Amino acid sequence: MFNKRLILTMNKEMKHVKLQVLFQILSLVCNIIFTFLLVNLFSKLIYNTLTFSILLLNVLLIIIILLIRAFFLKQVSSCSFNSSTNVKRKLRKDLFEKILRLSNSYNDSISTSELVQLATEGINQLEVYFSLYLPQLFYSVISAVILFITLSFFDLKSSIALFICVPLIPISIVLVQKFAKKLLSKYWLSYVTLGSSFLENLEGLTTLKIYGSDDYKQKEMNIEAENFRKATMRVLIMQLNSISIMDIVAYGGAALGSYLAISHFISNEISLFATLLIILLAFEFFIPLRQLGSYFHIAMNGIAASDKLFYVLDIKEKDSGSKDISGDINIKFEDLTFAYKNHNVLENLNLTIKSNEFTAIVGESGSGKSTIAKLIMGYYQKYNGNIFINNIDRNLISDDSIMENIAFINHDPHIFKGTIKENIDLLNIYDDLEINKVLEEVNLLDFVNSQNGLETLVLENGSNLSGGQKQRLNIARSLLKKPNMFIFDEVTSNIDVESEEKILNVIKKLSKSKTILMITHRLSTIKDCDEIIVLEKGCVVENGKHNELINNKKTYYQMYEVQKELEAYYE
Ligand code: ADP
Ligand code: MG
């Protein structure tokens, strides 16, 4: 019923929970006083001792006590509101910060759709755990003790009977929970499965349509939806059944207490006042626990979500070094061997990227080109051999310093929904003049000005821009940062010839003053490079200038000839 780690994590937020319990207890005390006053009036009425002044006084007191109680109940709901907003804010913040720290490697451990579900539905359920369930749990125990002590002055036996019945409710909750845990994790799994299929199919709808595979996927999703429906129904049935069990215990317990009180009254052991008091307060024993039962299931869902949350929060972050790099950038790989799992991708690789030179890495698809870029950027830290950036071991350099100095641009730029300005100046720190300048450099200024200038709206994923425009926007974004080195990984793949030319011009201009690493499989784009490195199955097989490599008549020459033929064929 408790999740220790969850409570420790929320140490600060527990203040609201405690306050909420306090106000609940105060309103219970009001309730007890109210019942006292009512029973007093009633027994006086029966014994004909009620005078007008007593009636007036009691009614007045009842009104006052009800007002005070209303005030306390209002406090209860405002505490609950506070803890619910704080919990949501804190958990989402923790989760978001963790994902930022993990940056692009979070996807190795959890899918984006699962993460979204965790951050929304999962955290909403956890909020119920804190704002409703936990305070109610404390309150139910304390209220049972207070009522027991109060009533024991009037009739010890029936108070003991009521008090003994109380734990039956949590016992039944625990039993249900044992059974429910498996059911709930199945429910969560089917929910997540359906959610991610839905998201994926929606994103790939065009592809599915083209291949006529939408029907098939729909059937697949129908099965998943059916599984989810069944899991939901099972959870609902369990919830209903457990509520019935709790009702039986609650009503049965209250009936037993009242029966004992009445029989003690008949045998003249207790007064009418005590009897009425016990009958009216008997149900109070069980109300809080019954209420607890109704929060219980959402709270348990929350606990299931918290397991997932902690799983994410516990994902090991890669260590970032602390050294900074600055100035012109040069890079050296020494005897570098790297494997994804057990599959060697780079083997005893030696290469040098000199500062302020234009270096290209070429090679067939799958030869390990992008892996080299990712190793420089620090995506992976486990490798044999050395990577030096400005003669400092890569693993000792802070990721922040790398991000500041090296711009990594790949073939799939991320464009956000918003304006052109917001997309380029993500931090909102540059002035329009500077932004216009970089737009001019990538040849996008005329287009932007023909629309709505910097305020031109860009749709989600840049769907109202062409592939070339998106890439140019992305490059403009990196130019603004003025890094010392650029890594371009297949930046002109899948875009129109016109944009390709414009992008190549930008790169050429940059190469005059910055270190450039250009990864490409299109040899025609790198003829003027200072150095071309030819990669084959993770090894450098050749390097040199274009003309030298052509004269070598080896791998590069063969690749070049094949591409020339292909290009001639298409023209
Ligand atoms: P290139 O950029 O030259 O096309 P990559 O460096 O992307 O090649 O990939 C080199 C090899 O590593 C390929 O065989 C690819 O299948 C494999 N690979 C790439 N990324 C991963 C990954 N995240 N997990 C496992 N294998 C990968
Ligand atoms: Mg690649």
Side-chain angles (χ1 to χ4, degrees):
M1 262 191 253
F2 270 125
N3 185 317
K4 225 175 170 182
R5 176 158 176 206
L6 198 57
I7 292 171
L8 285 178
T9 314
M10 290 294 140
N11 205 0
K12 263 198 204 148
E13 280 66 24
M14 286 303 283
K15 172 179 92 203
H16 296 289
V17 172
K18 286 176 195 158
L19 218 60
Q20 191 173 338
V21 175
L22 177 73
F23 284 119
Q24 277 178 299
I25 292 169
L26 288 173
S27 76
L28 172 73
V29 171
C30 289
N31 219 4
I32 293 174
I33 297 174
F34 166 73
T35 314
F36 263 83
L37 292 169
L38 205 66
V39 168
N40 184 35
L41 266 183
F42 201 68
S43 53
K44 282 210 159 51
L45 190 71
I46 286 183
Y47 291 118
N48 255 335
T49 50
L50 188 65
T51 63
F52 182 70
S53 56
I54 292 177
L55 178 70
L56 205 65
L57 183 71
N58 273 272
V59 169
L60 204 68
L61 284 175
I62 283 176
I63 291 171
I64 292 171
I65 210 75
L66 285 180
L67 284 176
I68 297 175
R69 183 167 166 263
F71 168 77
F72 287 140
L73 284 177
K74 172 111 197 353
Q75 297 306 311
V76 170
S77 62
S78 90
C79 284
S80 170
F81 176 77
N82 278 340
S83 58
S84 98
T85 43
N86 285 355
V87 163
K88 268 199 280 200
R89 195 177 303 143
K90 170 158 171 51
L91 291 177
R92 292 213 170 108
K93 187 166 163 274
D94 285 359
L95 190 64
F96 192 62
E97 281 175 355
K98 176 74 188 189
I99 297 301
L100 278 183
R101 285 199 301 276
L102 287 172
S103 75
N104 16 40
S105 66
Y106 84 83
N107 255 162
D108 293 347
S109 318
I110 184 168
S111 73
T112 307
S113 60
E114 219 178 335
L115 198 65
V116 172
Q117 276 159 339
L118 184 61
T120 51
E121 181 86 7
I123 287 182
N124 282 346
Q125 288 166 340
L126 266 170
E127 169 217 329
V128 172
Y129 179 84
F130 278 98
S131 62
L132 296 172
Y133 176 77
L134 211 53
Q136 192 67 23
L137 180 65
F138 293 129
Y139 169 65
S140 345
V141 175
I142 298 171
S143 72
V145 173
I146 291 177
L147 283 165
F148 170 69
I149 293 171
T150 314
L151 293 186
S152 64
F153 290 109
F154 298 93
D155 184 9
L156 190 62
K157 279 187 210 154
S158 19
S159 322
I160 290 175
L162 282 168
F163 197 58
I164 287 175
C165 285
V166 166
L168 289 178
I169 291 187
I171 288 172
S172 66
I173 294 180
V174 170
L175 288 179
V176 171
Q177 185 193 7
K178 285 235 163 3
F179 169 69
K181 200 154 185 193
K182 240 179 162 172
L183 208 64
L184 286 173
S185 64
K186 266 193 197 157
Y187 163 80
W188 181 254
L189 187 73
S190 63
Y191 174 62
V192 169
T193 314
L194 180 65
S196 36
S197 307
F198 180 69
L199 206 70
E200 203 185 4
N201 290 339
L202 203 63
E203 278 176 350
L205 194 61
T206 319
T207 313
L208 293 178
K209 282 247 178 243
I210 291 171
Y211 289 94
S213 154
D214 45 335
D215 271 352
Y216 173 72
K217 285 282 175 190
Q218 191 186 355
K219 276 182 198 137
E220 233 179 40
M221 243 169 56
N222 279 346
I223 295 172
E224 283 171 7
E226 181 58 18
N227 285 342
F228 177 59
R229 189 189 66 81
K230 279 187 189 149
T232 313
M233 288 317 279
R234 263 183 246 128
V235 168
L236 285 177
I237 289 170
M238 175 201 68
Q239 290 181 351
L240 273 177
N241 285 343
S242 65
I243 286 175
S244 311
I245 293 173
M246 282 187 299
D247 274 350
I248 291 170
V249 174
Y251 285 109
L256 178 71
S258 307
Y259 167 77
L260 285 176
I262 291 170
S263 62
H264 294 158
F265 175 68
I266 291 171
S267 58
N268 263 336
E269 284 171 58
I270 57 172
S271 65
L272 177 68
F273 180 88
T275 314
L276 288 175
L277 198 67
I278 289 169
I279 292 173
L280 286 181
L281 286 178
F283 205 60
E284 279 288 330
F285 263 89
F286 303 98
I287 290 173
L289 278 162
R290 216 193 141 284
Q291 189 71 37
L292 181 73
S294 67
Y295 300 145
F296 177 74
H297 299 287
I298 309 176
M300 285 310 108
N301 279 341
I303 298 245
S306 80
D307 289 345
K308 195 81 208 173
L309 185 77
F310 287 130
Y311 165 76
V312 177
L313 293 180
D314 287 345
I315 296 173
K316 200 174 168 321
E317 287 162 35
K318 60 192 197 70
D319 312 313
S320 172
S322 56
K323 293 200 173 173
D324 286 339
I325 47 167
S326 60
D328 300 336
I329 306 285
N330 64 72
I331 294 177
K332 204 173 196 171
F333 278 50
E334 266 182 11
D335 289 327
L336 194 111
T337 300
F338 173 77
Y340 289 108
K341 306 220 164 76
N342 292 323
H343 156 63
N344 262 14
V345 174
L346 300 175
E347 277 194 78
N348 291 321
L349 190 85
N350 286 290
L351 61 84
T352 307
I353 298 161
K354 291 189 188 142
S355 61
N356 292 335
E357 279 202 352
F358 188 169
T359 306
I361 298 183
V362 300
E364 280 176 10
S365 166
S367 56
K369 304 181 298 291
S370 298
T371 305
I372 292 177
K374 286 177 184 165
L375 282 166
I376 295 173
M377 295 314 288
Y379 283 33
Y380 314 111
Q381 289 182 307
K382 277 195 194 139
Y383 48 77
N384 289 322
N386 293 304
I387 301 172
F388 293 106
I389 302 182
N390 286 6
N391 301 320
I392 305 172
D393 185 338
R394 168 62 185 94
N395 284 337
L396 299 179
I397 303 170
S398 83
D399 284 341
D400 285 346
S401 184
I402 293 286
M403 296 295 172
E404 206 180 300
N405 283 279
I406 306 177
F408 177 37
I409 297 143
N410 64 17
H411 64 94
D412 184 23
H414 193 91
I415 303 295
F416 296 91
K417 187 179 158 194
T419 63
I420 292 275
K421 184 180 157 93
E422 284 163 351
N423 257 290
I424 297 189
D425 182 7
L426 291 172
L427 292 171
N428 193 16
I429 49 174
Y430 297 96
D431 60 44
D432 290 2
L433 224 62
E434 286 173 285
I435 298 173
N436 280 333
K437 195 169 154 256
V438 290
L439 281 174
E440 167 94 74
E441 280 178 58
V442 296
N443 233 306
L444 212 56
L445 190 61
D446 288 344
F447 166 76
V448 169
N449 281 341
S450 73
Q451 308 259 317
N452 201 9
L454 292 181
E455 296 308 314
T456 304
L457 283 178
V458 181
L459 301 181
E460 208 172 289
N461 292 325
S463 57
N464 58 337
L465 299 176
S466 77
Q469 286 168 332
K470 276 198 265 188
Q471 187 60 286
R472 282 186 279 153
L473 195 63
N474 185 36
I475 292 174
R477 186 193 273 166
S478 69
L479 291 178
L480 204 55
K481 258 180 58 179
K482 299 194 177 67
N484 293 314
M485 176 178 180
F486 288 85
I487 301 178
F488 296 102
D489 186 357
E490 306 278 11
V491 282
T492 58
S493 60
N494 310 326
I495 59 178
D496 53 293
V497 182
E498 192 197 326
S499 279
E500 177 174 22
E501 227 179 88
K502 284 172 179 161
I503 289 172
L504 289 174
N505 282 338
V506 176
I507 297 176
K508 259 181 210 152
K509 239 196 243 163
L510 280 172
S511 70
K512 289 189 184 126
S513 57
K514 308 271 177 175
T515 308
I516 306 281
L517 174 63
M518 169 104 157
I519 293 171
T520 182
H521 67 279
R522 302 240 307 145
L523 306 187
S524 56
T525 58
I526 48 155
K527 277 187 196 156
D528 307 327
C529 277
D530 298 307
E531 171 87 350
I532 298 170
I533 297 169
V534 185
L535 214 61
E536 205 173 53
K537 295 198 179 96
C539 299
V540 176
V541 286
E542 265 182 304
N543 61 307
K545 288 200 187 333
H546 174 77
N547 288 339
E548 295 166 13
L549 294 174
I550 289 290
N551 290 335
N552 275 355
K553 292 220 170 354
K554 289 205 292 212
T555 316
Y556 183 82
Y557 171 76
Q558 283 158 9
M559 282 166 69
Y560 189 75
E561 287 299 307
V562 172
Q563 284 190 11
K564 214 165 67 178
E565 256 173 55
L566 276 177
E567 270 163 32
Y569 179 79
Y570 281 114
E571 275 162 15

